[in-house]
Amino acid sequence: MARLVYCNGAFVEEAEAKVSVFDRGFLFADAVYEVTAVIGGKLVDFAAHLARLRRSLTELDLASPADDDRLLALHREIVHRNALDLGHVYMQVTRGAADRDFVWPARDTPPTLVLFTQTRATLEPREAETGIRVALAPDLRWGRGDIKTVQLLYASMAKSQAKARGFDDVWMERDGFVTEGSSNNSYILSNDGTITTPSLGRSILPGITRQAVLRAASEAGIAVEERAFTVAEAQGAREAFITSAGAFVTPVVAIDGVPVADGRPGELSRRLRRIYLDEAIRSAI
Ligand code: PLP
């Protein structure tokens, strides 16, 4: 069965899904998106994804394509129509199509709304077991990493270059401090048992998985500190890990070729992955 895509008001086979060449998502990356994990055919952390979408729209003065109930209904329908059990729903909203101009078009320009699904083979891929090895790259992205825009070229370039050098992913750094991964938030476990992750601000994305994992860690009595950490701190940490709607919680076992502790996935990272997934499955809608 060909995958069905939602495109501006209709569910169509993917080869039939078309957006104008004048779409501002295409010409200016003038668009925001969300990726929601689907487990057992249900949406994970959906309310939080919608809240972040609303924030991204507001920050860029983008018109909303639909209300929350409609967006939930569309997510459920696309999962159902594609018989998606495990994977995710990608949703993108652009400022719509208008003659090319740096100035935003009139606010009544209809936004473009696209949703599609992607499947994943397993909840427990190899990296969850082995951990990943990250390269380092300077964080050369624009200064509003807190808005989830489709302007992902630098992250894509940095990850591709890291892959070509034999790494699994990349951690980006600014002024000696780790900001985040190519498409995930970054964490270390210090030797005193504290989880440290960069505090929210303009330089990182407020990850939905981050929010859930920090809540779960606090509930489990684990100390959490939100502050910038250096590359040297990370390389000398007891554990390191990443979070995202795709990776959930995945251990990092080496940073720029330097093993983290004994170079094997840490116990706490594995435990947090289990806690996160249990809660994600329990609360999915
Ligand atoms: N940071 C960046 C730059 C991302 O692109 C993503 C997800 O795509 C994340 C962090 C993790 O966010 P979430 O947990 O909402 O998937």
Side-chain angles (χ1 to χ4, degrees):
M1 185 183 83
R3 176 168 53 170
L4 290 176
V5 166
Y6 177 85
C7 186
N8 281 334
F11 286 92
V12 292
E13 291 198 359
E14 62 179 68
E16 304 305 318
K18 302 270 166 42
V19 174
S20 165
V21 295
F22 291 101
D23 194 280
R24 292 184 56 90
F26 179 61
L27 295 178
F28 289 101
D30 190 355
V32 298
Y33 74 111
E34 283 297 327
V35 177
T36 301
V38 173
I39 304 179
K42 291 184 169 177
L43 303 162
V44 173
D45 292 332
F46 187 69
H49 283 286
L50 270 189
R52 185 173 61 187
L53 176 77
R54 295 277 164 225
R55 178 179 181 277
S56 298
L57 293 173
T58 303
E59 290 296 318
L60 294 173
D61 199 20
L62 271 165
S64 170
D67 66 20
D68 286 3
D69 288 346
R70 175 81 180 131
L71 292 177
L72 172 59
L74 286 174
H75 274 72
R76 285 185 162 151
E77 190 168 350
I78 203 160
V79 166
H80 176 71
R81 286 193 185 228
N82 288 298
L84 180 66
D85 180 57
L86 188 61
H88 56 259
V89 178
Y90 175 96
M91 167 177 59
Q92 180 169 326
V93 181
T94 88
R95 203 179 302 272
D99 197 18
R100 186 176 183 276
D101 190 338
F102 276 70
V103 179
W104 292 344
R107 206 163 189 286
D108 60 1
T109 305
T112 294
L113 175 62
V114 167
L115 283 82
F116 59 80
T117 55
Q118 289 184 298
T119 56
R120 60 184 289 162
T122 167
L123 210 48
E124 295 298 336
R126 189 187 55 84
E127 309 83 67
E129 245 342 278
T130 60
I132 60 168
R133 291 162 303 122
V134 297
L136 289 171
D139 191 339
L140 300 179
R141 299 172 303 165
W142 79 320
R144 291 304 305 272
D146 57 319
I147 309 175
K148 197 165 170 65
T149 76
V150 302
Q151 190 192 263
L152 297 170
L153 184 56
Y154 182 71
S156 168
M157 180 171 106
K159 181 167 182 174
S160 301
Q161 291 176 343
K163 281 270 191 189
R165 291 167 55 217
F167 294 92
D168 300 302
D169 203 338
V170 63
W171 272 12
M172 293 176 281
E173 55 167 325
R174 207 173 271 158
D175 305 325
F177 293 96
V178 174
T179 52
E180 57 186 337
S182 60
S183 61
N184 41 68
N185 290 114
S186 56
Y187 306 74
I188 56 172
L189 176 69
S190 318
N191 288 310
D192 70 358
T194 306
I195 292 176
T196 303
T197 192
S199 40
L200 298 183
R202 290 191 163 181
S203 47
I204 66 163
L205 188 78
I208 301 307
T209 320
R210 175 187 187 279
Q211 185 179 312
V213 164
L214 292 188
R215 194 187 320 118
S218 296
E219 283 168 11
I222 302 159
V224 171
E225 193 176 6
E226 294 180 59
R227 65 158 174 87
F229 59 81
T230 64
V231 169
E233 253 184 290
Q235 288 173 328
R238 193 198 291 179
E239 295 186 25
F241 60 94
I242 57 166
T243 66
S244 73
F248 306 131
V249 179
T250 296
V252 170
V253 293
I255 300 166
D256 199 29
V258 177
V260 176
D262 64 0
R264 290 202 301 245
E267 191 41 51
L268 184 81
S269 312
R270 295 154 76 104
R271 187 171 148 222
L272 277 177
R273 182 182 177 92
R274 281 196 307 275
I275 295 175
Y276 172 74
L277 278 174
D278 285 350
E279 178 57 18
I281 291 165
R282 195 197 60 73
S283 60
I285 59 169

